[in-house]
Amino acid sequence: MNLLFSNDTRGAYPQSWYAATGLDLPSFPQVEGDQRVDVCIIGGGFTGLSAALHLSEHGVRVAVVDAHRVGFGASGRNGGQLGSGQRQDQQVLEKMVGQDAARQMWDLGEEAKQLVKDLIARHDIECHLKPGIAWAGTSAGSVNDLHDYAEHMQRGYGYALETLDRDQFAKICPSPAYHGGILDMDAAHLHPLRLAQGLAKAAAKAGAQIFENSLVTQVTPGDTVTVQTEIGRITADHLIYACNGYLGGLNGEVAARVMPINNFVVATEPLGERAKEVLARDVAIADDLFVINYFRLSHDGRLLFGGGESYGYRFPKDIAATVRKPLSKIYPHLKDVKIDYTWGGTLAITMKRMPHIARIAPNVLSASGYSGHGVGNAVQAGKLLAEALRGQSDGFDAYAALPCPRFPGGPALRSPLLTLAMTWFALRDRLGL
């Protein structure tokens, strides 16, 4: 199954609220004939566009190739949360890689967050950037864990997270499902498709060639790399895979370590005065469940809510019904709210839930597997790939040194094993274990 086409219309954005409110960005041309560049980038999401921008600003000849539109994949469909640090929290990372490497990962994560903010400001990207993400605990025990984490971050990293008891949290998020949490006001939320489109505009202005509706059919490695599309061909000295969940069979070494999974989002009708019954402060929320619920208000007063379970690579026929189940648990008073937009998206995870950034060959680099933390990680990964190609590789090497084991079972068994694992963890969520 080719995930590029199994759930979406070729060459078109999904019918999402993001696409309906995106920037006015004309289509880029297809690859035609023979093209020659210094670096070819496969994938026009955050990673590929950031790499193209940072390379082009240094005079490198770059071509970005995407099978659909820029920002078509997870970059233009996600929850829009620009979180602090990494996908794994610092206590987990300290156990995984040790104190020094964990500190380096924290610093890199903070640099990623700041990079996104700086790019938005420098290129005047209108993507409704707003401060604040609150992490919600679904039990008294999980709230204690979140508060302990806040203390750990203040003591060990000098990073301030506001701790909230049940009443304090309810003043932000009046949901009966949550017992308290923590608030991170240096984190942020934004319109992710507008960010991707803004990066594309900036990259093109800096000199990058961007090609859309150009499916890559074959990659031939060597001292120079040939990237064949349906009606054209690009020859380059270097290649970057920036495909994330849409890599398919282009590179088996990366595919063995990066698993595509689907997630689903809805946008309600504009809530008007009822918005205060959902979020009294304009911050984003993410909870502590394995099958995570994440949500925020849009700039036009809608609830953007992500969550729900689905196994297999095809989207469910009724995404609204899939997402309405968790939405109604979080906000019982919205169980009958009108849903105006529904969409699914394919992201990618790794076994350790940390990015897979690697040098596949001397002139071939790859970055993917952001595991739900891609707004910051993916934009930064593009910058690190650009730096590595130009001989500055400290950040790239730090990520490349992280453990990233293969998923068990090989291509034939990875999806069934993932389904089994997700079913088990979803059951634990429902039982409150």
Side-chain angles (χ1 to χ4, degrees):
M1 178 185 295
N2 189 337
L3 291 177
L4 281 166
F5 307 112
S6 59
N7 296 299
D8 296 287
T9 301
R10 183 164 184 165
Y13 290 118
Q15 294 183 343
S16 68
W17 176 83
Y18 291 139
T21 58
L23 298 178
D24 182 15
L25 183 69
S27 298
F28 292 99
Q30 290 180 287
V31 177
E32 294 185 2
D34 290 326
Q35 308 282 338
R36 182 68 169 87
V37 295
D38 299 320
V39 182
C40 181
I41 300 169
I42 305 176
F46 288 153
T47 301
L49 295 170
S50 175
L53 172 59
H54 287 96
L55 286 166
S56 296
E57 287 179 333
H58 287 87
V60 179
R61 295 178 302 159
V62 178
V64 178
V65 185
D66 198 281
H68 289 283
R69 302 289 311 276
V70 293
F72 162 86
S75 296
R77 308 187 191 206
N78 64 78
Q81 297 196 12
L82 176 61
S84 300
Q86 301 289 344
R87 170 63 176 82
Q88 293 284 22
D89 71 40
Q90 288 308 114
Q91 289 170 315
V92 171
L93 285 173
E94 288 162 13
K95 294 176 182 178
M96 182 189 300
V97 297
Q99 186 71 45
D100 291 344
R103 179 70 204 216
Q104 186 179 25
M105 285 295 107
W106 171 258
D107 291 342
L108 283 166
E110 290 300 276
E111 289 171 13
K113 185 174 62 178
Q114 190 60 48
L115 173 65
V116 173
K117 295 177 182 180
D118 290 346
L119 289 172
I120 291 169
R122 178 153 58 94
H123 297 287
D124 195 23
I125 301 174
E126 298 178 0
C127 62
H128 305 288
L129 177 69
K130 297 180 180 180
I133 297 177
W135 287 91
T138 54
S139 68
S142 63
V143 172
N144 288 336
D145 291 340
L146 288 169
H147 289 185
D148 288 345
Y149 183 67
E151 182 182 350
H152 180 82
M153 292 305 298
Q154 180 65 61
R155 183 177 62 251
Y157 295 83
Y159 191 80
L161 295 164
E162 184 179 351
T163 57
L164 304 168
D165 62 23
R166 186 166 195 153
D167 290 341
Q168 291 168 325
F169 199 89
K171 290 179 180 179
I172 296 174
C173 175
S175 167
Y178 298 134
H179 294 245
I182 55 178
L183 178 61
D184 182 355
M185 288 305 296
D186 195 55
H189 55 101
L190 51 80
H191 190 305
L193 180 57
R194 279 176 167 250
L195 174 59
Q197 293 171 324
L199 291 174
K201 283 186 173 182
K205 184 177 180 180
Q209 298 182 74
I210 300 176
F211 298 102
E212 296 181 322
N213 294 304
S214 299
L215 174 67
V216 173
T217 57
Q218 185 176 349
V219 176
T220 305
D223 292 338
T224 58
V225 180
T226 302
V227 176
Q228 184 72 47
T229 70
E230 292 169 306
I231 60 172
R233 180 173 60 190
I234 298 174
T235 303
D237 298 315
H238 301 274
L239 173 67
I240 289 175
Y241 287 109
C243 310
N244 206 36
Y246 296 93
L247 177 69
L250 289 180
N251 188 280
E253 183 67 21
V254 176
R257 293 172 169 81
V258 177
M259 171 87 74
I261 65 170
N262 294 330
N263 204 249
F264 312 101
V265 186
V266 302
T268 70
E269 62 185 336
L271 298 176
E273 288 299 313
R274 297 181 70 192
K276 296 177 182 178
E277 302 172 9
V278 175
L279 284 168
R281 289 177 63 179
D282 192 6
V283 300
I285 306 289
D287 64 28
D288 62 345
L289 296 177
F290 183 84
V291 183
I292 189 172
N293 298 305
Y294 53 93
F295 48 95
R296 61 193 181 92
L297 292 173
S298 66
H299 65 269
D300 59 353
R302 303 171 187 271
L303 174 62
L304 305 180
F305 190 99
E309 306 162 32
S310 178
Y311 307 121
Y313 289 141
R314 290 200 180 276
F315 295 167
K317 292 182 180 179
D318 192 345
I319 292 175
T322 298
V323 180
R324 194 182 286 276
K325 291 179 182 178
L327 189 160
S328 298
K329 291 180 180 178
I330 304 304
Y331 293 116
H333 61 285
L334 293 182
K335 63 181 180 180
D336 297 320
V337 69
K338 184 175 181 290
I339 292 175
D340 284 348
Y341 297 91
T342 68
W343 64 97
T346 301
L347 63 150
I349 61 173
T350 63
M351 286 280 286
K352 298 291 187 180
R353 300 300 191 271
M354 291 292 287
H356 176 50
I357 298 178
R359 187 178 295 274
I360 307 304
N363 60 343
V364 179
L365 306 181
S366 175
S368 56
Y370 306 111
S371 304
H373 200 75
V375 177
N377 277 159
V379 174
Q380 181 187 51
K383 181 175 185 285
L384 296 179
L385 293 169
E387 289 175 349
L389 287 180
R390 297 179 53 250
Q392 304 168 7
S393 60
D394 287 350
F396 177 93
D397 290 344
Y399 278 108
L402 293 173
C404 192
R406 292 170 175 259
F407 279 92
L413 291 178
R414 275 184 293 164
S415 182
L417 286 173
L418 179 66
T419 297
L420 182 63
M422 292 290 285
T423 303
W424 164 242
F425 283 110
L427 178 62
R428 286 174 59 90
D429 284 346
R430 286 192 288 270
L431 294 176
L433 299 178

